[in-house]
Amino acid sequence: MTPTTDEAAVEAANTAFYEAMETGDFDTVSGLWLADDTVPVTCVHPGWPVLTGRGEVLRSYALIMANTEYIQFFLTDLQVSLAGDTALVTCTENILSGGPAEDGAELGPLVGQLVVATNVFRRTPDGWRVWSHHASPVLADTDGPDTAEPTLDDAPSDPEEPA
């Protein structure tokens, strides 16, 4: 299936968001977030509480950028869905990051992390802007032989009934 122009534009905005994080370009990250005060932005970084409001969200990115020497995102499982002026992007963030170098080393130790993310974009006169970002760490290994992904059949029939 060939992506529509809107799908391609949303995917480009999503890519720009991650590239700006990789290069530590706070101005670009800031410019990619929705600036409409009537619709507050939200962000959930892995392990963090919900951050609400442009100021709080952008402060979190400034903090992350100031304390991350190196970060690279390899995005997989990318899906774009459109509904009018709103777009939903889901993806897996395969993250490689490193902290400050120690003992004269060029780069600190590198750490890999697997995170699933949902990015919600809104169409603006200036293009697609991030409205919400929610990222959660993947804690379970679903590829191993002893694990099976849960299905709807595994859910209790009565929502009030404990599993």
Side-chain angles (χ1 to χ4, degrees), residues 7-163:
E7 286 172 336
V10 169
E11 190 170 336
N14 192 70
T15 298
F17 175 67
Y18 287 101
E19 286 177 351
M21 282 291 298
E22 287 179 348
T23 60
D25 185 346
F26 180 77
D27 290 338
T28 298
V29 168
S30 177
L32 287 167
W33 277 88
L34 191 62
D36 182 352
D37 293 333
T38 62
V39 231
V41 299
T42 61
C43 181
V44 178
H45 298 294
W48 291 37
V50 176
L51 304 174
T52 303
R54 187 172 163 80
E56 192 172 337
V57 168
L58 292 180
R59 273 190 295 280
S60 75
Y61 281 96
L63 181 65
I64 290 167
M65 289 177 171
N67 290 290
T68 304
E69 190 76 18
Y70 173 85
I71 192 163
Q72 189 170 9
F73 296 90
F74 301 95
L75 302 182
T76 57
D77 310 315
L78 191 101
Q79 297 289 321
V80 177
S81 301
L82 290 162
D85 290 337
T86 304
L88 179 73
V89 177
T90 57
C91 62
T92 301
E93 301 174 354
N94 301 271
I95 305 170
L96 185 60
S97 62
E102 296 176 9
D103 299 325
E106 189 174 318
L107 184 64
L110 295 177
V111 176
Q113 184 178 14
L114 192 62
V115 173
V116 292
T118 302
N119 298 319
V120 181
F121 289 83
R122 292 284 306 240
R123 184 193 320 263
T124 73
D126 297 321
W128 292 93
R129 298 294 181 255
V130 182
W131 183 9
S132 182
H133 170 76
H134 187 136
S136 298
V138 176
L139 301 177
D141 177 11
T142 58
D143 294 332
D146 297 333
T147 59
E149 293 190 34
T151 66
L152 290 177
D153 295 335
D154 297 329
S157 57
D158 178 354
E160 299 299 317
E161 177 184 315

Side-chain angles (χ1 to χ4, degrees), residues 1-9 11 80 82:
M1 184 166 94
T2 305
T4 67
T5 303
D6 282 341
E7 286 172 336
E11 190 170 336
V80 177
L82 290 162

